[in-house]
Structures are given as C-alpha cells and as structure tokens.
C-alpha cells in the first residue's frame, strides 16, 4: 500500500513539472520576439547600409556629418570641411542622409 501511494505522487508531480516550466518557456519566447528579433533586424539593416556606401554619400559617423570621398575595405574617407578628410571605420557610419544635407549644414 505504501508503494502504491508513492507511485501516485510521483505520477502527479511529473505533470506538475511540465506546467511549472511553461512560464519559463513563455518568457523565452517573449524575450525573443521583443528583444532579440528586432535587434537582429536592425543589425541586418545597418550591415546592408554599410555595404552599400558609395563615394558622394552624405552620412553621420560618430556624430560627425560629412560626405564620403573614398571607400575602402574597412574604412571610408569622410570630408568634414574644405580639404579636411577624416578616415573612419565603415561600422562607425550610423546614418545615411538625404542628398544636400551636408551643404545645408555647412552653410549655416
């Protein structure tokens, strides 16, 4: 009789374990859709933008607005003034600006 009672409690606790783990699985799924997936999408968009950089594009890199004068493998030449060129990593470029923005900023 004791072994029968012990078997019943073990069987009942096996189902409770799965129900107990359900909130943890739901938290991981929620974490994926709210944090991980959007971050991966943003990283993919940034990589696409960096790969498509061309000479003449106006960008913001490390908070500095400039026009790209040279594109290398890992670096870009960024004109920040007349004859002043900074060399920054491609990954430092954060934003691609519309054409004409650089001229509007430098004239004011």
């Amino acid at each position: 009789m004791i072994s029968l009672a012990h078997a019943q409690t073990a069987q009942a606790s096996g189902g409770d374990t799965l129900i107990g783990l359900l909130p943890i699985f739901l938290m991981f799924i929620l974490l994926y859709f709210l944090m991980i997936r959007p971050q991966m999408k943003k990283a993919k968009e940034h990589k696409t933008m960096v790969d498509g950089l061309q000479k003449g594009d106006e960008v913001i890199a490390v908070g500095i607005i400039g026009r790209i004068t040279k594109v290398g493998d890992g670096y870009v030449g960024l004109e920040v003034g007349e004859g002043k060129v900074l060399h920054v990593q491609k990954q430092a470029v954060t934003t691609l600006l519309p054409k004409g923005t650089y001229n509007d900023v430098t004239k004011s």
Side-chain angles (χ1 to χ4, degrees), residues 29-99:
I29 291 169
L30 188 66
L31 178 74
Y32 175 77
F33 281 107
L34 291 179
M35 296 180 70
I36 298 171
R37 190 168 178 238
Q39 186 176 7
M40 288 172 42
K41 183 179 177 184
K42 186 176 179 181
K44 184 179 178 181
E45 289 172 356
H46 183 259
K47 183 179 180 341
T48 303
M49 188 258 315
V50 167
D51 290 341
L53 291 175
Q54 303 174 25
K55 183 177 178 181
D57 285 346
E58 298 172 4
V59 297
I60 297 178
V62 198
I64 300 171
I65 296 176
R67 181 180 295 126
I68 295 178
T69 58
K70 181 181 178 184
V71 179
D73 290 336
Y75 295 91
V76 294
L78 192 65
E79 179 184 6
V80 294
E82 291 184 35
K84 295 182 178 18
V85 177
L86 298 175
H87 297 280
V88 297
Q89 290 181 330
K90 280 186 173 183
Q91 296 298 321
V93 176
T94 56
T95 309
L96 185 62
L97 299 172
K99 297 286 183 186

Side-chain angles (χ1 to χ4, degrees), residues 2-17:
I2 292 174
S3 63
L4 182 60
H6 182 57
Q8 286 178 346
T9 58
Q11 187 179 29
S13 67
D16 291 339
T17 304

